[in-house]
Amino acid sequence: MKIMPPRQDGQTRTVFRILAGIVAAFILLVSLPLALYEATTATMVGWETLLNWFMVLCCIYAGIGLAIGARTGRWFNSPG
């Protein structure tokens, strides 16, 4: 019994691409500015500051990766 329609290799279903676009928009428009604000205005010293900047880099990587994946249907250097 087949529930999902067959897909071509290298293509992602439209529903998942739309969902990835929504998540990417949230990360880039909400999470990234908040992480940047926290990293630049924090009074912490030491490893907490490094964790803040690591969170900024993670937001950039995930947001751009999901946005490109939503546009092209390929995910983070996957073959296909």
Side-chain angles (χ1 to χ4, degrees):
M1 180 167 104
K2 291 185 179 181
I3 297 173
M4 296 281 190
R7 64 180 181 90
Q8 298 173 353
D9 287 340
Q11 261 188 340
T12 304
R13 292 185 181 96
T14 305
V15 176
F16 295 121
R17 291 175 70 176
I18 292 170
L19 181 62
I22 292 169
V23 171
F26 180 80
I27 289 173
L28 291 174
L29 296 176
V30 177
S31 298
L32 180 60
L34 287 175
L36 278 170
Y37 177 76
E38 180 67 27
T40 56
T41 61
T43 58
M44 297 177 277
V45 180
W47 64 273
E48 291 99 355
T49 305
L50 291 175
L51 287 177
N52 285 338
W53 285 107
F54 179 72
M55 187 62 164
V56 169
L57 292 175
C58 289
C59 286
I60 292 170
Y61 182 76
I64 291 173
L66 283 171
I68 291 172
R71 177 74 176 118
T72 63
R74 295 185 64 207
W75 305 99
F76 294 103
N77 200 21
S78 65

